[in-house]
């Protein structure tokens, strides 16, 4: 037992873990947590510190300048152009004219404009170079051609007028064309067609007027005379000739002066337009028809054209 007057001994310093001098110095270094004394801190070398700092700074800058590639860092490229529309498949090869008619009729009934254009191009290659006289054009195909003519498209009208004229060269197709509405369509669209297209359309209309149904259709249409008068002033040569021929159908035998109730323009105005057309460029056939038409207008219309300077 400890006596009451005995003072407690101060805590002795911890015994070094190792007895050798080398390890004892290590345990008493600043790195040892059990060391009661700390060695004085050395003053850092300014040159070394500054060089180390500049080195680390340059290293840091070089590191920040180099970055991993990222999609946001890349310049956005322009959007690729849209793919070109797919070309329509070619039409099947036909071995006979009847098969060609069937293929063309099927494609003209389609809602696709490209299908219709392919059908018109097929008919142009087959029908226009060698106009056939047999077999007769199917009514469905003729209705498809009339529908394309009424679409008021320049490219379509170019093909349709060529095909219509080639088909009407065969007498058996003229009545089919009239029944499909081709005569009315030509009269109503003549003002909006190009010169070459309207010339072909009027040539086909003149052929249609060789049938009784075609002549009656032209006479009954209220737009026939105004349309032909406008065409005579606009065209020359054969186009003017065809317009005069159609006017001759309206005012000729069985026409406006035959007692039928037909609404036509006054004979005096028509005679003046025909006389002006004959003063310009016109074919020999057109001049003969125009002179005959003027004589008819003078006789049946009770006109004195000599007083008007005609």
């Amino acid at each position: 037992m400890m006596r009451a007057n005995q003072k407690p001994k101060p805590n002795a310093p911890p015994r070094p873990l190792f007895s050798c001098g080398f390890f004892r110095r290590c345990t008493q270094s600043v790195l040892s947590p059990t060391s009661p004394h700390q060695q004085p801190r050395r003053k850092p070398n300014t040159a070394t510190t500054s060089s180390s700092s500049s080195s680390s700074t340059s290293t840091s800058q070089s590191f920040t300048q180099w970055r991993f590639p990222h999609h946001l860092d890349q310049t956005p490229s322009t959007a690729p152009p849209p793919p070109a529309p797919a070309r329509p498949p070619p039409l099947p090869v036909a071995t006979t004219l009847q098969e060609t008619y069937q293929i063309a009729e099927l494609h003209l009934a389609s809602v696709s404009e490209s299908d219709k254009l392919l059908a018109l191009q097929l008919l142009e290659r087959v029908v226009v170079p060698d106009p056939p006289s047999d077999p007769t054009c199917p009514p469905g195909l003729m209705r498809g051609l009339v529908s394309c003519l009424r679409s008021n498209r320049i490219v379509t009208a170019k093909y349709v007028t060529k095909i219509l004229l080639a088909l009407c060269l065969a007498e058996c197709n003229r009545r089919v064309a009239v029944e499909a509405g081709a005569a009315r369509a030509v009269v109503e669209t003549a003002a909006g067609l190009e010169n070459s297209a309207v010339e072909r359309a009027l040539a086909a209309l003149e052929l249609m007027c060789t049938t009784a149904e075609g002549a009656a259709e032209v006479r009954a249409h209220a737009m026939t005379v105004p349309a032909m008068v406008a065409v005579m002033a606009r065209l020359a040569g054969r186009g003017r000739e065809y317009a005069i021929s159609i006017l001759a159908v309206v005012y000729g035998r069985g026409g406006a002066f035959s007692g039928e109730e037909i609404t036509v323009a006054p004979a005096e105005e028509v005679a003046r337009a025909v006389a002006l057309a004959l003063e310009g460029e016109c074919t020999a056939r057109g001049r003969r028809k125009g002179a005959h038409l003027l004589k008819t207008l003078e006789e049946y219309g009770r006109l004195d054209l000599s007083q008007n300077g005609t």
Side-chain angles (χ1 to χ4, degrees):
M1 293 181 61
M2 184 179 297
R3 296 179 182 180
N5 58 355
Q6 189 177 0
K7 295 181 180 180
K9 296 180 180 181
N11 293 332
R15 186 178 178 180
L17 185 61
F18 299 98
S19 58
C20 70
F22 179 80
F23 287 102
R24 185 167 57 247
R25 290 185 59 186
C26 293
T27 55
Q28 292 178 359
S29 64
V30 68
L31 298 177
S32 175
T34 59
S35 174
H37 302 286
Q38 295 183 358
Q39 295 180 354
R41 300 178 61 183
R42 295 181 180 179
K43 187 176 180 180
N45 190 354
T46 305
T48 306
T49 305
S50 60
S51 62
S52 175
S53 174
S54 62
S55 176
S56 62
T57 303
S58 61
T59 304
S60 175
Q61 290 179 354
S62 62
F63 180 80
T64 55
Q65 290 175 358
W66 185 88
R67 293 177 295 179
F68 290 99
H70 195 270
H71 67 279
L72 296 178
D73 297 332
Q74 299 176 356
T75 304
S77 59
T78 57
R87 299 183 62 182
L91 296 178
V93 179
T95 57
T96 63
L97 182 60
Q98 190 67 36
E99 291 180 359
T100 302
Y101 285 162
Q102 293 175 356
I103 295 172
E105 181 180 354
L106 179 64
H107 282 73
L108 286 178
S110 172
V111 296
S112 172
E113 294 296 331
S114 59
D115 287 350
K116 294 179 181 179
L117 186 59
L118 283 176
L120 294 176
Q121 292 172 346
L122 172 64
L123 289 173
E124 183 196 25
R125 291 194 303 268
V126 175
V127 174
V128 174
D130 186 16
S133 58
D134 187 70
T136 304
C137 177
L141 175 59
M142 190 66 74
R143 287 192 294 269
L145 293 174
V146 172
S147 177
C148 291
L149 181 61
R150 290 184 176 277
S151 65
N152 294 326
R153 299 186 62 186
I154 297 177
V155 177
T156 303
K158 179 185 73 172
Y159 289 109
V160 173
T161 52
K162 289 181 180 181
I163 298 167
L164 184 61
L165 176 57
L167 291 176
C168 287
L169 292 175
E171 188 175 354
C172 59
N173 291 326
R174 298 171 189 174
R175 184 174 286 103
V176 177
V178 174
E179 293 175 354
R184 294 191 304 272
V186 171
V187 171
E188 295 169 4
T189 60
L193 298 177
E194 290 186 336
N195 291 352
S196 57
V198 72
E199 183 176 317
R200 292 188 294 266
L202 293 183
L205 181 59
E206 183 183 6
L207 292 173
M208 284 184 270
C209 288
T210 59
T211 65
E213 296 83 359
E217 191 77 32
V218 167
R219 295 188 188 111
H221 205 299
M223 290 182 59
T224 300
V225 175
M228 296 305 108
V229 169
V231 167
M232 281 194 307
R234 169 182 155 195
L235 298 182
R238 289 191 176 276
R240 186 170 290 177
E241 171 194 330
Y242 299 142
I244 293 174
S245 299
I246 294 169
L247 287 175
V249 172
V250 176
Y251 291 98
R253 182 180 301 177
F257 302 130
S258 62
E260 299 180 8
E261 294 183 0
I262 300 176
T263 303
V264 294
E268 185 176 357
E269 296 182 6
V270 176
R272 186 179 298 110
V274 173
L276 290 175
L278 294 179
E279 291 178 0
E281 181 184 351
C282 190
T283 63
R285 179 173 178 267
R287 293 187 181 277
R288 290 195 301 270
K289 283 185 170 291
H292 183 73
L293 177 58
L294 288 176
K295 185 177 180 180
T296 302
L297 292 172
E298 185 179 11
E299 291 177 356
Y300 293 94
R302 298 178 180 179
L303 301 177
D304 189 1
L305 300 179
S306 60
Q307 294 182 357
N308 297 331
T310 303

